[in-house]
Amino acid sequence: MPTTTYGPTTTAAEIVQDVDLHGRRVVVTGASSGIGVETARALASTGAEVTLAVRNVEAGRKVANEIAKKLPSGAGSLQVGPLDLADPASVAGFVRAWSGPLDVLVNNAGVMALPQLTRTPAGYEMQFATNHLGHFALTTGLHRWLAAARGARVVAVSSIGHLFCPVVFDDLHYRFRPYDQWTSYGQSKSAIVLFALGAAQRWTDDGIAVNALMPGNIASTSLARHMGPDDLATFGQQTDLTLPPVKTIEQGAATSVLLAASPDVEGVTGRYYEDCAPAPQVSERAGHTGGVAPYVLDPNNADRLWRVSEVLTR
């Protein structure tokens, strides 16, 4: 159980204040913007060797250089690797290029609220393909290196958006129901939580802990780049959801960093966290500013999604 009291205003730097990860290797996807940058910075400050897995390698190198300038002496090194989660060949290339134990994998990258139905070349809905399937292929592809670390952690960044929609197994890619930017986002974020549950069920004997989280309501990140002013202004009306107070990027990265590095969560797996603590279960969406839906805690849903995902990523 946690020995330190954390909350919604805790920062990533506070989480790692006394953490030493020298000799550990970390991958953070989507680490060229938003909370991914702060997650990478906080973990590198502990002495870990951190790889920024990003679509735009040039942007990633620029971010890595900026982080390195501000790190204390004795901090870990920063690497950059190409990774486009919507492109199976790119994911496979990243997996092939990795060698040696991997101690921490933070599945942070994502897209949100694409206004129009967009499909990958394989015909998969883009938010589901990027947020879930790409990370599924990446994590399962790296499984042997996670197992080799003997105590690895996988951190899956989900969202309160999972309350918008469960995984609709009979129509994952919007071939029958009308497309909606929020239910598609919600489905992808529900899938992320179910993946964490499914991986925790399968990989406990490998010493791999897998947890999901809601980072918080974070202003000014590129995740909302597809949202227009009207979308933001009418968000509550569109989604029947009351957002929690806005966090800074440093606060938004804290729960990811807690699950990635803190000794307080040693042995915790298959859980969903928010505000650096396990989230309470809720029975409906309306009026809530947090919580976790029962359908993403259902082991049968987790197992079904795992089997479907294996087929879709072959």
Side-chain angles (χ1 to χ4, degrees), residues 74-144:
S77 62
L78 293 156
Q79 317 293 328
V80 179
L83 176 67
D84 182 347
L85 290 163
D87 180 0
S90 176
V91 176
F94 188 94
V95 170
R96 282 196 304 271
W98 189 268
S99 180
L102 174 58
D103 299 278
V104 179
L105 171 61
V106 182
N107 290 334
N108 167 82
V111 294
M112 181 173 77
L114 297 179
Q116 303 295 326
L117 175 59
T118 306
R119 301 190 190 279
T120 67
Y124 303 154
E125 191 277 316
M126 184 62 75
Q127 294 189 81
F128 185 80
T130 302
N131 297 345
H132 168 60
L133 290 177
H135 278 130
F136 178 88
L138 175 70
T139 312
T140 54
L142 293 171
H143 170 263
R144 65 170 175 145

Side-chain angles (χ1 to χ4, degrees), residues 1-4 263-266:
M1 294 296 293
T3 58
T4 309
D264 289 347
V265 293
E266 185 71 35

